[in-house]
Amino acid sequence: MTRTLSNKQAERMSGAFKFIVLLFFGLLLMAPFIWMVSVGFDRTANISMPFPPRLIPEEPSGFNYGIVFENGRLIQSYINSAIVTVSSVLLGVTASLFAGYAFSKGRFKGKKLLFILVLCTLMIPMEPRLIPLYKLFNSVDLLNTFWPLILPTVINGMLIFLCKQFFDQLPDTLREAAQIDGAGEFKIFFRVYLPLAGPIAATMVILAFIWSWNDFMWPLVVLNNQELHTVPLYLASFSLENGTSLGGLTMALATVSILPIIILYLFLQRYIIQSIALSGVKGE
């Protein structure tokens, strides 16, 4: 009896210790974000940044955020980012679902070799592709449009890999039973497998959304017209124009710029957890 109580006490102490450690590192990771939001509410930060940094402003004010939501250029950059991101997510996730299903359940020659080529694209960073992509879109006169930001995202090796791993976990007997009933490949995909792909689709949506919304280098190369600037480009230009001044307004802009990502993640987080539990990403 005494040994049982000691074991329970040890487990509680171990659980409490793990909780404290995780809480500490969680707060440590959240500190920069909390500081950014706090500075946005500090009107005096537009004159000089508070030093040493403080997490709670002395005189909280919504002045900076009021200016942010009245900023016409920010609203235009939001619209531009929304057009690019929504288009990229829809096309990229749709193409990845088709490709992942084909690589997982399809039977065709060269499937393994083609899948290896898709995985090889993960080892090529964006920087070596900038010049070839720029010359390609320049040759078809698509620079200073949204197409160079949308079209390259249609084929995404990481999303295809995640989707294939997910479909690999689903039994082939579902496909065989549908084939016995006379269903074709497209009907099998849309009626049998696609309804089960909600978790991995949600994961791909949030990943594609983050990549597209936060993209900075490629839009900087292909967009010279300020009216077409996305949110990251507008934030960069605003910081360059104002230097170290208007720190509170800059932080307010940065906070507002990441709100869509936070909101999307809050809505889709349970599906993301399901996809990690059901797919091969967990290392099975």
Side-chain angles (χ1 to χ4, degrees), residues 4-58:
T4 303
L5 290 175
S6 62
N7 290 337
K8 289 183 178 179
Q9 290 177 351
E11 290 179 0
R12 290 177 181 175
M13 292 180 63
S14 175
F17 176 75
K18 291 178 181 177
F19 175 78
I20 293 173
V21 172
L22 292 175
L23 179 63
F24 171 76
F25 283 105
L27 292 175
L28 192 64
L29 292 173
M30 288 292 294
F33 174 76
I34 297 173
W35 177 75
M36 177 180 69
V37 177
S38 175
V39 173
F41 282 104
D42 192 346
R43 186 171 181 175
T44 61
N46 292 325
I47 302 173
S48 63
M49 292 292 287
F51 186 84
R54 52 177 181 260
L55 297 182
I56 301 177
E58 293 182 353

Side-chain angles (χ1 to χ4, degrees), residues 23 53 70 84 89 213 251 264 279:
L23 179 63
E70 295 175 359
V84 172
V89 169
W213 187 270
M251 290 300 181
L264 183 66
S279 69

Side-chain angles (χ1 to χ4, degrees), residues 196-261:
L196 301 175
I200 193 61
T203 302
M204 292 193 296
V205 165
I206 187 66
L207 290 176
F209 190 96
I210 292 173
W211 293 335
S212 181
W213 187 270
N214 291 337
D215 193 14
F216 174 75
M217 183 180 298
W218 180 233
L220 180 64
V221 172
V222 298
L223 297 180
N224 295 323
N225 188 351
Q226 287 190 350
E227 294 182 358
L228 299 177
H229 277 186
T230 56
V231 172
L233 292 182
Y234 171 70
L235 286 176
S237 63
F238 182 86
S239 300
L240 289 174
E241 290 172 2
N242 296 281
T244 57
S245 62
L246 299 180
L249 186 57
T250 302
M251 290 300 181
L253 285 169
T255 302
V256 172
S257 70
I258 65 174
L259 282 180
I261 298 175

Side-chain angles (χ1 to χ4, degrees), residues 66-195:
I67 294 178
V68 164
F69 288 108
E70 295 175 359
N71 191 319
R73 283 189 59 191
L74 177 65
I75 295 174
Q76 183 61 49
S77 67
Y78 250 87
I79 295 174
N80 296 338
S81 286
I83 294 172
V84 172
T85 302
V86 171
S87 301
S88 299
V89 169
L90 288 177
L91 293 175
V93 171
T94 301
S96 298
L97 285 170
F98 278 111
Y101 173 78
F103 283 123
S104 176
K105 306 301 181 184
R107 301 290 183 269
F108 55 91
K109 291 183 179 180
K111 184 177 76 170
K112 292 184 178 179
L113 177 60
L114 187 58
F115 186 64
I116 291 174
L117 292 177
V118 171
L119 294 182
C120 287
T121 62
L122 300 178
M123 296 183 286
I124 305 175
M126 184 61 187
E127 288 78 5
R129 293 182 285 168
L130 285 178
I131 295 177
L133 283 174
Y134 181 88
K135 295 180 68 175
L136 173 64
F137 285 107
N138 186 41
S139 64
V140 293
D141 198 25
L142 287 179
L143 296 180
N144 274 319
T145 67
F146 292 142
W147 290 113
L149 307 182
I150 298 172
L151 295 179
T153 62
V154 175
I155 306 300
N156 189 303
M158 176 58 73
L159 297 186
I160 293 174
F161 172 74
L162 292 176
C163 200
K164 178 187 179 300
Q165 293 295 100
F166 181 86
F167 283 125
D168 283 344
Q169 304 301 312
L170 301 180
D172 293 337
T173 53
L174 296 174
R175 180 170 178 269
E176 294 170 359
Q179 286 178 330
I180 293 174
D181 291 337
E185 287 296 339
F186 282 100
K187 190 173 183 179
I188 294 173
F189 173 73
F190 284 107
R191 295 289 183 87
V192 179
Y193 285 98
L194 188 59

